[in-house]
Every structure is written in structure tokens, then in C-alpha cells.
Amino acid sequence: MVKSFYHWSLKTKLIVIIQLITALVAVTLGYFSFETSKTQIVNKVSVSNQSVITVIDNNVTRMQRSISDWATVFVLSSTVQQALQMQANEQDALEFALYSGPAASLMDQMLVTGNFDYLALYGESSSDPLYQVATDDSSGPAKLETITASEVYRQTERLNGAPYWFPLTLTNNAFIEYNRQGKMGMSRIVRSTLNGEKLGVIFVGVNHQTIRSHYLKNLYDQDHGILILDQNGQSMLAAGKTFYEPDLALFSPQENDLQEPSGSRVTQIGGEELLISYSVMDNGWRIYYAVPLHLLTKELNAIKLFVGLAILGIIVLTVPLTTLLTSFLTAPIKKLLISMRRFQNGHFGERVEVKYQDEIGLLSQGYNNMVLNIKTLVDEAYVLRLKEKEAELKALQSQINPHFLYNMLDMIFWEAEKAGQDRISDMVITLSRLFRLSLNRGKSFTSLGKEKELIRQYLKLQQMRFADKLTCDIDIPEELEHYVILKLLLQPFIENALIHGIERKREGGYVNVSARLDGEQLSFVIEDNGIGMDESMLKEITELQPESDVYTAQETGGYAIQNVIQRLRHYYKDDYKLTYISEPGKGTRVELSIPAMTETREEEKHG
């Protein structure tokens, strides 16, 4: 689809882009309106949910206080105190005393209010409870030994008579063997009113359904959920819509330590987005109230419908307008395109009329100038093509000639060997090696190691020529030999030192060649103690001559200084430095710096 778009006409592209931009603006505005309305609704519902949480907090606190107060009155009653101090083992006797004595009204209040569903009172010396009653068919009160060994009992003891509330789960149910319903439990240590000694423990259990019907009535339904967690993150009670996931960070005690005491957040649970409001009770318990987000945003669907209709209407209304506008904009381009096609067919006199000085008008002017220039350059291009053909012919010849020369040099070498002319054979083999290195298989670049070998062979021949009048030194470290440089980069400078310096000095001289690595640059120094050169000679050697074919013309005597400068400019652009220091009678020093490149970098640059 994207590739085909690039092949559409400019007019079609403009129409499509304008329509897309228009639709994008409408969608953006609609989305902004939807999100703004959604945020406002969520904020209002969050405030309302906090009010519900406050009611839940008050009701649960009232329940706890009511049960705690009743238990306090119960354990402080004379009947219970006497039974615990005497450690009577007859449960029936205590029960009879409770319902017939001074505590009868207290027991009647328990039965009438129905605030809790299970009660068990234990003394210190009996394993079985002194008194136990259940309203939900739960049975099998646990032994005192089982209770005192539980974590719940240890927590109860730490509170030293204050009530300890906890969820009655499978892991901490130490009070009822056959519990029929889920319960919230309260336990407390019972002490003597005479001396404060521990007499026993009381346990009160309240069914979850009792709490829902008495304290949470009309506060939840299948779409609204309530969750109460204790300070350790254990579920004390859940009502209505289920949304508790223990592994969710929102419900972890560590996360709640970082939260504000109350607030709201949108969380995804079970693939559904929920608005969950929360608050912390005075005892450290946390109340959560959840509402599905989609229930709150039903009315906002009208905004989505409006945005869709608006996009459709805008597209229908803007199609004629955008068609007219794009036709006006693309008409000059179409004329220019027609003219270009005629020009491609050989009509070099093509021109387009320029009416306006806008971008398209300037483009048309540039096109007219280009056509005029191309017509002027046609003949020149034809001549250049002929020169290219000539260069190709020379290249083919350069590939043929080396084979002939290698064979002839080889033949001369063996003839000299047969005649016992060791000096001549040494000169021939050195010349052959020099020739092979200079050709470099037609490549423009070579390694510094090969260039070092080439100048060594070249200087060896020159030493044969100059006898004992020429000394030379090549200081190119082996660790630099893997760097890549232009072929025949250093030899022309050495040749120039011999021709313009050492040859004209009767007592001979020396030529030193050195190389070093300066950061990311290779630096070379070619130095001689010849007769030196004046400024006119330096200018003649280093300045490029106009209209000079420095690569093939024979008047340069091979690869000379101007050839090197031309190649340096071509391959290294401005990233090289060449300095000539010479005075008559004091010798010559050439300093050359080029980028340090390995074979990989050279291929990437000139690949």
C-alpha cells in the first residue's frame, strides 16, 4: 500500500493527504472530548465512592465496637468470672446460670440482635470450652491446646486483653473443626476482675453473610464490589463483584504504605477496567470499592458516534473543494511534465511559460535554464565520450603490455645467469620486482608494507647506478605495514630527491624515508642532503599544469610529483597535507600527512 502510494499522481496524493489530515483532526478532537468527559465522570464517581467507603468504615467500626463491648460485659459478668475462677468443667451448669441468672438479659440481647454467629469461652485448666454456642450449625469446638499453639492465640496474647480481629481461614482456623460459613473472628484474653490474672480466652465469630446483611446492605451488587483487607493484606471480607487478586500490587501492604490514606485509580483486573477507590481505617484495615469503568462511560458512546458522523460529513463536503484546489496547484506541474517528456524525445528547444514567481514558477525557470545548458553540452558530452573510449583502449593495452615485459625480463635474467653476470641478473630481478609492485594488479591502493618493499627495490637499483655515492635509510615500523595508502605515493618524492638533489651533487648524498602514526593520520618524511631547490623549481614541480593528462602523458616521465598531488586531491579531498621545505645548497625535506586507513575502511570509503 505504501509503495503504491508513491506511484499515485500528485493530485491524488494531495486529496488523500488533505482528507487524512481532516479526519485526524476530527478524531483528535473527539478523542480529547471523550477523555475529558471520562476524566470528569471518574473524578465525580470517585468522590461518590469515597462516601460509600465512609459508610462502610462506620458500619464495620460500629460492628466491631458493638461485639467488643458485648464481649467485655460478658466476660466481666459475675457468672462468667466465677465459672472461670472455679474452672468448672460442666458446660451445662454455666449455660443454665447464664440464661437464668443476672446474665440472662445479656444473653437475650445476643439472641435478639444476632450480631455474631459463634461464641466459645475457654478456661485455663480445661481442654473443652466452658461455654459454646453456634447459630449456623458450625460444630466441633477446638481443644484449648490447639488454640494456644496457633499464631492467632499468640497475637491475642500480645494485645493483653484487647480484642484481636482476624479472618477465619483454612490456615488459621484453630477454633472450629466444622465451620459451615466464612467468618470474621475476634479473640481476646479474659482476666480476673479481682487480681488481673489470666483466666481464659473468648472467641467470637461473625459470618460474612451476617456482616453483609446487617452492615453492608444496599452498598453492593453484582456490578459493585467491596473488599476489606487487614493490615497484613489478608482478605477479611468481600461482597458483590469479585475483583481481589492477591498478587496485584494495588493490594499488597508494601504498595499501600506508599499510597495516600484514600484515593482512586483505574486498574485492569481480569481483562476488565475497574475504577477502584480505597481508604484506610483507623485500625489499619483497608477498604476497597470497585466499579466497572464501562458502566461509567456508557453515556460517552454518543461522543464516539458524533465523531464518526463528523468525519464522514467532512470527507463528503471537502472532496469537491480539495479536487478543485489540487487541480489549480498541479496544472503548472502537468505542463512542465508534458514539456519534459517532449524534451526526452529529442526536442531540445522546449520551453515552458512562467506565469508566477512561486516555487513552481522558479522550478519552471530552472527547467528552462537546464534545457538550454543541456543543449549546449550535448556536443561536449559527445567529445568526452570519445575520450572515454580512448581511455578504455589504453587500459586494455596496459593489461597486455605487462605480460610481455615480465617474459622479456625473465628471459634476460636467465641469459645473465647463464653468462655468470650476477650483477646484471640481480639488477634484472630487482627491476622485475619493482615493476610488479608498481603495477599492483591495477589497483589504486596498496599496503604500506608493499610500498615499503617497492621503494627498497627502487633504491637498490639506484644504489647500483650511483655505486657508493648514495646511502639510504627506510624507517617504517612493521606495525604500520597493514595500513592502506595510494599506490606509488612515496616513490615519486624519492625519485625527485635523486633527480633534483643527489644527481647534481658530485660527492653523492643520502635519502631518508620515515613514517609514524599521529592519532588518525599517517605522517611521512622524505629527506635528502642534495643541492636543494629554489622557489621557481618548487613551483614547477608542485603546481599542476592546465590541460595536462598526468596519468598517461609521456612528458612527465612516469608517476611524478604532479601525478601524486592530483591523486591526493582526488582520493583524500582536503584531508591531506603536503609540505615542501627546500633551500639551495641545504637539501630538501618533504612532509606528507594522510588519513590512516585499514583495508576495510578503504573499501567502505571508495567501495
Side-chain angles (χ1 to χ4, degrees):
M1 180 63 182
V2 176
K3 290 184 178 180
S4 62
F5 173 79
Y6 292 114
H7 298 290
W8 294 353
S9 66
L10 181 60
K11 179 179 179 180
T12 305
K13 289 179 182 177
L14 289 174
I15 292 175
V16 171
I17 291 173
I18 292 173
Q19 296 299 326
L20 288 176
I21 292 175
T22 304
L24 180 62
V25 171
V27 170
T28 302
L29 292 176
Y31 175 79
F32 177 77
S33 302
F34 179 84
E35 289 298 321
T36 302
S37 302
K38 177 181 173 181
T39 301
Q40 292 176 352
I41 290 176
V42 168
N43 291 338
K44 291 180 180 179
V45 174
S46 298
V47 174
S48 176
N49 289 351
Q50 287 296 332
S51 300
V52 175
I53 290 177
T54 301
V55 174
I56 297 172
D57 187 349
N58 294 335
N59 290 350
V60 173
T61 302
R62 179 165 55 86
M63 176 200 72
Q64 290 179 309
R65 186 180 298 113
S66 174
I67 294 175
S68 179
D69 290 346
W70 185 92
T72 300
V73 174
F74 176 76
V75 299
L76 293 179
S77 66
S78 59
T79 304
V80 174
Q81 285 284 315
Q82 289 175 5
L84 291 173
Q85 290 171 5
M86 294 174 61
Q87 296 298 319
N89 295 327
E90 293 294 333
Q91 180 176 350
D92 294 338
L94 177 59
E95 184 174 355
F96 177 77
L98 287 173
Y99 285 98
S100 61
S105 60
L106 185 65
M107 303 307 294
D108 291 339
Q109 179 188 1
M110 176 194 74
L111 295 174
V112 172
T113 58
N115 285 340
F116 52 85
D117 302 279
Y118 187 90
L119 174 65
L121 177 66
Y122 291 84
E124 284 289 293
S125 62
S126 176
S127 296
D128 295 322
L130 297 178
Y131 176 73
Q132 182 263 338
V133 62
T135 63
D136 61 351
D137 297 328
S138 295
S139 61
K143 301 295 184 181
L144 181 63
E145 293 80 6
T146 303
I147 295 173
T148 55
S150 66
E151 178 63 26
V152 171
Y153 185 80
R154 286 190 286 273
Q155 293 291 342
T156 304
E157 275 194 318
R158 290 192 188 98
L159 295 179
N160 196 26
Y164 174 63
W165 289 88
F166 58 92
L168 201 66
T169 63
L170 293 176
T171 58
N172 66 359
N173 183 7
F175 292 92
I176 309 173
E177 291 186 9
Y178 304 105
N179 184 30
R180 302 298 182 187
Q181 296 188 34
K183 288 181 174 62
M184 185 185 298
M186 187 276 290
S187 61
R188 61 184 295 181
I189 298 298
V190 180
R191 296 190 177 277
S192 171
T193 57
L194 298 177
N195 53 22
E197 291 182 357
K198 184 169 68 172
L199 299 178
V201 62
I202 185 174
F203 167 72
V204 178
V206 188
N207 288 344
H208 290 169
Q209 187 56 41
T210 301
I211 300 173
R212 295 188 189 104
S213 59
H214 286 196
Y215 302 100
L216 303 179
K217 189 175 182 179
N218 299 326
L219 296 178
Y220 68 91
D221 54 30
Q222 62 181 3
D223 293 323
H224 299 74
I226 298 172
L227 174 66
I228 301 177
L229 302 180
D230 68 4
Q231 59 270 26
N232 297 319
Q234 296 186 84
S235 176
M236 299 294 293
L237 176 69
K241 184 177 181 63
T242 302
F243 62 93
Y244 179 51
E245 291 187 2
D247 296 332
L248 197 66
L250 176 64
F251 302 125
S252 68
Q254 294 79 10
E255 175 72 13
N256 282 276
D257 290 341
L258 303 176
Q259 292 179 356
E260 296 293 329
S262 62
S264 299
R265 66 170 63 177
V266 176
T267 305
Q268 191 171 48
I269 298 177
E272 182 181 24
E273 281 192 316
L274 300 176
L275 172 62
I276 300 180
S277 302
Y278 59 88
S279 181
V280 181
M281 298 174 62
D282 293 337
N283 61 359
W285 291 9
R286 300 186 300 281
I287 302 175
Y288 296 88
Y289 191 77
V291 182
L293 198 61
H294 69 85
L295 294 179
L296 310 179
T297 57
K298 279 183 178 179
E299 295 79 3
L300 298 181
N301 291 331
I303 295 179
K304 296 180 180 179
L305 179 61
F306 172 76
V307 171
L309 294 175
I311 293 174
L312 182 61
I314 290 172
I315 291 176
V316 172
L317 293 176
T318 56
V319 165
L321 180 62
T322 53
T323 302
L324 181 63
L325 177 63
T326 54
S327 298
F328 174 76
L329 292 175
T330 58
I333 299 178
K334 285 185 177 180
K335 292 181 180 179
L336 181 61
L337 182 60
I338 293 172
S339 177
M340 291 177 67
R341 288 174 178 170
R342 290 176 55 82
F343 176 75
Q344 290 175 353
N345 292 330
H347 298 274
F348 296 107
E350 274 296 315
R351 296 291 185 277
V352 292
E353 182 181 1
V354 180
K355 293 183 178 180
Y356 310 105
Q357 293 299 314
D358 56 4
E359 287 81 355
I360 298 177
L362 295 176
L363 179 63
S364 299
Q365 288 181 358
Y367 167 74
N368 291 338
N369 294 334
M370 180 191 69
V371 169
L372 180 61
N373 291 335
I374 290 177
K375 181 174 176 59
T376 304
L377 294 174
V378 167
D379 294 337
E380 296 179 10
Y382 179 73
V383 173
L384 288 175
R385 183 59 181 168
L386 291 178
K387 289 185 177 181
E388 288 178 0
K389 292 294 184 181
E390 182 180 355
E392 291 176 3
L393 180 60
K394 290 182 178 180
L396 291 174
Q397 292 174 343
S398 67
Q399 294 177 6
I400 298 172
N401 290 338
H403 298 289
F404 171 74
L405 292 176
Y406 291 152
N407 292 334
M408 292 304 298
L409 289 172
D410 189 58
M411 182 185 70
I412 296 172
F413 169 75
W414 288 111
E415 288 296 328
E417 283 286 309
K418 290 179 182 180
Q421 297 293 331
D422 294 338
R423 179 175 175 80
I424 295 176
S425 62
D426 190 23
M427 294 176 65
V428 170
I429 196 64
T430 301
L431 179 61
S432 177
R433 290 175 182 171
L434 176 65
F435 189 52
R436 288 180 185 272
L437 289 170
S438 64
L439 290 176
N440 195 35
R441 297 184 179 180
K443 301 294 183 179
S444 298
F445 285 82
T446 187
S447 67
L448 182 54
K450 289 185 178 180
E451 185 75 3
K452 176 181 177 181
E453 178 63 21
L454 184 143
I455 59 178
R456 180 182 287 112
Q457 297 297 332
Y458 176 76
L459 287 173
K460 182 178 179 181
L461 285 174
Q462 293 292 355
Q463 284 180 316
M464 294 178 184
R465 173 189 172 197
F466 284 95
D468 297 330
K469 292 184 178 182
L470 175 63
T471 59
C472 58
D473 180 50
I474 302 175
D475 182 18
I476 299 178
E478 290 185 5
E479 58 267 20
L480 302 183
E481 292 184 2
H482 69 284
Y483 285 97
V484 175
I485 64 172
L486 279 172
K487 177 184 69 176
L488 293 175
L489 179 65
L490 304 178
Q491 185 272 338
F493 296 107
I494 299 172
E495 180 181 4
N496 184 73
L498 296 176
I499 294 175
H500 297 285
I502 307 302
E503 268 188 6
R504 302 178 185 181
K505 191 174 182 180
R506 181 173 300 176
E507 64 274 17
Y510 66 84
V511 176
N512 293 336
V513 182
S514 63
R516 71 178 186 277
L517 182 65
D518 292 332
E520 295 186 357
Q521 296 286 117
L522 278 176
S523 297
F524 300 95
V525 175
I526 300 96
E527 192 172 17
D528 68 77
N529 64 341
I531 63 172
M533 294 180 286
D534 56 20
E535 290 187 5
S536 61
M537 179 62 69
L538 284 175
K539 184 176 181 181
E540 179 181 348
I541 291 175
T542 57
E543 283 193 1
L544 294 177
Q545 301 299 320
E547 303 297 330
S548 175
D549 187 356
V550 297
Y551 288 95
T552 57
Q554 296 179 357
E555 67 273 8
T556 62
Y559 292 95
I561 303 302
Q562 294 183 13
N563 176 283
V564 175
I565 296 174
Q566 186 78 9
R567 289 187 296 140
L568 286 170
R569 290 182 181 179
H570 176 72
Y571 286 105
Y572 297 123
K573 309 303 180 186
D574 296 327
D575 198 13
Y576 79 94
K577 183 177 181 182
L578 175 63
T579 304
Y580 252 99
I581 304 172
S582 183
E583 292 184 21
K586 294 185 179 181
T588 303
R589 178 184 175 90
V590 180
E591 297 176 355
L592 174 63
S593 177
I594 62 172
M597 293 190 301
T598 60
E599 184 176 359
T600 303
R601 286 186 56 193
E602 188 275 328
E603 289 178 353
E604 291 175 354
K605 184 174 181 180
H606 303 287

